[in-house]
């Protein structure tokens, strides 16, 4: 007997050949005619599959009539044309076996009633059984698969960069330390008052969870030409907001023999490719998001796919924002040249000024990382941010500084230890080449696609300040 997923069963044609379908009960409805309609779902698609269980089943009175949301079952029978609305086919069951009961239906945390997202974060191990989080999980998977396809089709190599590192890519210092030292008996560093001596630690020096795989993946770009990394990254920012996670996934492509224009083109193609994949492959889930979460979920993605991305320099963007302020626009964060653009500024640019995705380029050097290529003006660097409606910044990237003397100057300006970056500097000594890349927080992409409001709801088990449950 063939076993079908719910998705396969929903698409099957009526047949006299018996099949098997397994899943978890969503609802059970009993008729006066002695028939029960059991809706089951196995996560393979958004919709539930209806199993029609007649009272002639041997376990009808004892088990079928006691099925509740969350019970796991295995149904066998034939696929027939549905007599009711809502589905094209259903199963006429010849057996309906209960694999697992719900211990106490009255206290089942993921019962069929409506729950707040805040409550569901407290039962994150079960929230994927709900419509919303099942849909998020499938869209997330679709996007991840599209990421790998996009790069594979263009000749990129996937590089697994280290999760434990001794270098801080951002120069920000907000990193999680990795140590096996006895916290109750830490030896002091005789040469650095107030600091621990890490020579006895596992790695013989201070080590951290990575904030980015970029520096490592650059080394492979300078040999394989087109590479990317896609893995977990960690930021020890004490930010309790709907936009921040302490652990998240980053996509970071790096291309050799390339400048900022190549980088921007790659970013635009990448965003459009992943959005097309979701629209083509997850129509059922996107329909749900458009109906229940964000009515513009589908139209927003279609608009991005069909739009050419606007390009504007940081300096011109600041001028636009200052002009808006002069005309009465109120900013929570004041606008001035040399300051970071805040989400309110980014969204104004992309949503109200250009009404489409916008790439802002050439940022002041003082608000960007040491590895970004200096422009001729000596004040700005070849950086770019991709802004999208509803989110603001989705992608951040740059052309990298391939000139050793310029790189050294930036390291000194930012008071970073050149010796710690000896291997990164080697790339500029041995066959240096113009190269560029960008980083995209994967959860930001999932947030943008689904229209979900909180980034904690688009990753299976969110890690945030004071929260590492599950």
């Amino acid at each position: 007997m063939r076993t079908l997923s719910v998705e396969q069963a929903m698409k099957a044609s009526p047949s006299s050949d018996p099949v098997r379908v397994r899943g978890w009960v969503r609802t059970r409805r009993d008729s006066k005619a002695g028939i029960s309609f059991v809706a089951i779902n196995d996560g393979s698609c958004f919709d539930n599959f209806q199993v029609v269980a007649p009272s002639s089943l041997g376990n009808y009175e004892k088990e079928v009539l006691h099925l509740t949301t969350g019970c796991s079952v295995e149904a066998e029978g034939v696929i027939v044309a549905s007599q009711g609305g809502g589905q094209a086919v259903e199963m006429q069951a010849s057996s309906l076996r209960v694999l697992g009961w719900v211990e106490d239906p009255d206290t089942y945390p993921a019962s069929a009633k409506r729950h707040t997202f805040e409550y569901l974060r407290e039962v994150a191990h079960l929230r994927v059984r709900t419509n919303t989080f099942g849909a998020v999980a499938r869209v997330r998977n679709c996007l991840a698969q599209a990421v790998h396809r996009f790069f594979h089709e263009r000749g990129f190599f996937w590089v697994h960069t280290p999760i434990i590192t001794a270098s801080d890519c951002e120069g920000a210092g907000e990193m999680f330390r990795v140590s096996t030292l006895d916290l109750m008996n830490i030896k002091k560093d005789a040469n650095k008052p107030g600091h621990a001596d890490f020579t006895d630690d596992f790695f013989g020096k201070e080590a951290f969870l990575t904030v980015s795989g970029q520096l490592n993946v650059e080394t492979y770009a300078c040999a394989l030409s087109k590479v990317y990394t896609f893995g977990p990254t960690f930021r020890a920012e004490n930010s309790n907001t709907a936009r921040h996670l302490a652990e998240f996934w980053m996509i970071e492509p790096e291309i050799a023999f390339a400048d900022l224009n190549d980088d921007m083109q790659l970013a635009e193609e990448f965003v459009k490719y992943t959005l097309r994949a979701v629209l083509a492959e997850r129509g059922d889930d996107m329909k749900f998001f458009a109906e229940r979460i964000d009515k513009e979920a589908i139209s927003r993605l279609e608009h991005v796919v069909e739009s050419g991305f606007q390009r504007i320099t940081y300096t011109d963007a600041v001028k636009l924002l200052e002009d808006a302020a002069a005309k009465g626009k109120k900013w929570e964060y004041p606008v001035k040249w040399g300051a970071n653009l805040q989400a309110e500024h980014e969204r104004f640019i992309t949503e109200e000024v250009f009404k489409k995705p916008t790439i802002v380029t050439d940022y002041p050097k003082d608000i960007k990382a040491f590895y970004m290529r200096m422009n001729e003006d000596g004040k700005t660097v070849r950086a770019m941010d991709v802004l999208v409606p509803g989110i603001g910044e989705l992608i951040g990237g740059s052309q990298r500084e391939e000139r050793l003397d310029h790189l050294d100057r930036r390291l000194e300006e930012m008071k970073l230890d050149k010796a710690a970056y000896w291997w990164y500097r080697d790339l500029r000594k041995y066959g240096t080449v113009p190269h560029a890349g960008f980083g995209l927080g994967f959860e930001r992409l999932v947030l943008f696609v689904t229209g979900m409001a909180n980034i904690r709801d688009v990753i299976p088990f969110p890690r945030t300040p004071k929260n590492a449950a599950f």
Side-chain angles (χ1 to χ4, degrees), residues 33-287:
I35 298 172
S36 290
F37 301 92
V38 183
I40 66 173
N41 191 290
D42 65 354
S44 58
C45 63
F46 182 83
D47 294 315
N48 302 324
F49 182 61
Q50 181 163 284
V51 175
V52 181
S55 58
S56 57
L57 294 179
N59 64 341
Y60 185 77
E61 294 286 342
K62 187 178 178 182
E63 294 188 335
V64 174
L65 287 178
H66 297 281
L67 287 172
T68 58
T69 301
C71 292
S72 58
V73 296
E74 178 182 83
E76 295 178 357
V78 293
I79 303 291
V80 299
S82 180
Q83 301 301 305
Q87 63 276 325
V89 294
E90 61 193 16
M91 174 181 279
Q92 195 70 42
S94 56
S95 81
L96 182 57
R97 188 160 66 99
V98 181
L99 302 177
W101 293 97
V102 167
E103 194 173 85
D104 181 359
D106 291 333
T107 60
Y108 177 50
S111 58
K113 68 180 184 181
R114 290 181 72 91
H115 301 286
T116 66
F117 291 158
E118 289 78 13
Y119 164 74
L120 289 171
R121 283 178 214 134
E122 297 173 10
V123 290
H125 60 305
L126 296 174
R127 67 178 180 171
V128 72
R129 298 186 183 193
T130 66
N131 284 336
T132 300
F133 290 93
V136 167
R138 285 184 294 272
V139 166
R140 185 182 171 101
N141 171 72
C142 176
L143 286 167
Q145 299 293 341
V147 167
H148 289 300
R149 279 201 313 273
F150 173 84
F151 290 121
H152 181 68
E153 290 169 8
R154 285 157 182 77
F156 281 69
F157 297 100
W158 181 19
V159 178
H160 302 132
T161 53
I163 288 175
I164 298 174
T165 179
S167 61
D168 178 358
C169 176
E170 301 294 326
E174 295 166 326
M175 306 174 75
F176 289 103
R177 183 177 288 112
V178 177
S179 176
T180 57
L181 292 176
D182 179 357
L183 295 178
M184 302 303 291
N185 297 286
I186 293 180
K187 189 167 67 175
K188 303 294 184 186
D189 189 332
N191 300 316
K192 288 184 179 178
H195 288 72
D197 183 353
F198 289 97
T199 55
D200 292 334
D201 207 348
F202 188 89
F203 296 104
K205 59 181 175 180
E206 239 181 326
F208 307 92
L209 295 179
T210 184
V211 297
S212 168
Q214 180 206 311
L215 300 190
N216 293 100
V217 90
E218 275 188 59
T219 67
Y220 270 61
C222 292
L224 302 179
S225 295
K226 294 192 290 187
V227 297
Y228 72 104
T229 182
F230 183 4
T233 52
F234 308 85
R235 303 280 170 96
E237 295 177 26
N238 193 18
S239 298
N240 243 320
T241 76
R243 290 164 56 88
H244 289 88
L245 290 167
E247 177 186 74
F248 56 98
W249 286 65
M250 281 278 282
I251 300 154
E252 295 173 296
E254 199 73 26
I255 42 177
F257 310 101
D259 61 15
L260 190 66
N261 288 321
D262 300 311
D263 202 29
M264 291 189 286
Q265 187 61 36
L266 181 69
E268 181 171 345
E269 290 173 7
F270 171 82
V271 170
K272 290 180 176 180
Y273 184 99
T274 54
L275 301 191
R276 284 193 196 100
V278 171
L279 291 170
E281 298 169 26
R282 295 264 48 108
D284 55 348
D285 295 313
M286 291 309 299
K287 179 172 177 284

Side-chain angles (χ1 to χ4, degrees), residues 177-429:
R177 183 177 288 112
V178 177
S179 176
T180 57
L181 292 176
D182 179 357
L183 295 178
M184 302 303 291
N185 297 286
I186 293 180
K187 189 167 67 175
K188 303 294 184 186
D189 189 332
N191 300 316
K192 288 184 179 178
H195 288 72
D197 183 353
F198 289 97
T199 55
D200 292 334
D201 207 348
F202 188 89
F203 296 104
K205 59 181 175 180
E206 239 181 326
F208 307 92
L209 295 179
T210 184
V211 297
S212 168
Q214 180 206 311
L215 300 190
N216 293 100
V217 90
E218 275 188 59
T219 67
Y220 270 61
C222 292
L224 302 179
S225 295
K226 294 192 290 187
V227 297
Y228 72 104
T229 182
F230 183 4
T233 52
F234 308 85
R235 303 280 170 96
E237 295 177 26
N238 193 18
S239 298
N240 243 320
T241 76
R243 290 164 56 88
H244 289 88
L245 290 167
E247 177 186 74
F248 56 98
W249 286 65
M250 281 278 282
I251 300 154
E252 295 173 296
E254 199 73 26
I255 42 177
F257 310 101
D259 61 15
L260 190 66
N261 288 321
D262 300 311
D263 202 29
M264 291 189 286
Q265 187 61 36
L266 181 69
E268 181 171 345
E269 290 173 7
F270 171 82
V271 170
K272 290 180 176 180
Y273 184 99
T274 54
L275 301 191
R276 284 193 196 100
V278 171
L279 291 170
E281 298 169 26
R282 295 264 48 108
D284 55 348
D285 295 313
M286 291 309 299
K287 179 172 177 284
F288 167 78
F289 287 122
E291 289 175 352
R292 296 297 183 90
I293 304 297
D294 177 359
K295 66 179 186 299
E296 296 178 352
I298 294 174
S299 61
R300 183 174 60 248
L301 304 194
E302 290 173 338
H303 175 63
V304 171
V305 167
E306 293 160 5
S307 299
F309 287 18
Q310 180 72 37
R311 298 183 184 186
I312 183 174
T313 66
Y314 167 90
T315 299
D316 288 343
V318 169
K319 179 75 164 58
L320 278 176
L321 297 167
E322 288 175 337
D323 289 347
K327 294 174 183 174
K329 178 72 177 178
K330 301 293 184 187
W331 300 118
E332 183 180 349
Y333 296 93
V335 178
K336 65 174 181 176
W337 197 96
N340 269 310
L341 298 183
Q342 301 297 320
E344 61 173 336
H345 308 139
E346 295 168 342
R347 292 187 61 175
F348 178 79
I349 291 166
T350 185
E351 293 172 18
E352 298 186 42
V353 178
F354 297 115
K355 297 182 172 59
K356 62 179 178 178
T358 303
I359 305 178
V360 180
T361 66
D362 302 299
Y363 282 78
K365 67 174 185 175
D366 293 336
I367 59 172
K368 290 296 180 181
F370 71 90
Y371 49 74
M372 299 186 179
R373 195 183 201 276
M374 186 70 68
N375 280 323
E376 298 306 313
D377 62 12
K379 297 188 298 182
T380 60
V381 290
R382 295 293 283 157
M384 66 99 176
D385 285 346
V386 179
L387 315 180
V388 293
I391 293 284
E393 182 195 338
L394 183 65
I395 287 174
S398 71
Q399 183 175 339
R400 314 310 189 191
E401 184 55 83
E402 85 281 11
R403 301 164 297 183
L404 183 61
D405 57 338
H406 284 71
L407 180 65
D408 283 348
R409 203 172 301 134
R410 286 290 285 149
L411 286 168
E412 289 166 6
E413 282 178 11
M414 300 183 76
K415 295 181 171 51
L416 295 171
D417 181 11
K418 279 201 299 187
Y421 294 92
W422 65 271
W423 54 274
Y424 188 69
R425 295 174 66 249
D426 271 1
L427 300 178
R428 278 75 182 166
K429 293 179 181 179

Side-chain angles (χ1 to χ4, degrees), residues 6-24:
V6 164
E7 183 179 34
Q8 291 170 328
M10 300 280 290
K11 295 176 180 177
S13 299
S15 170
S16 58
D17 296 330
V19 294
R20 179 186 298 114
V21 178
R22 299 161 175 154
W24 290 269

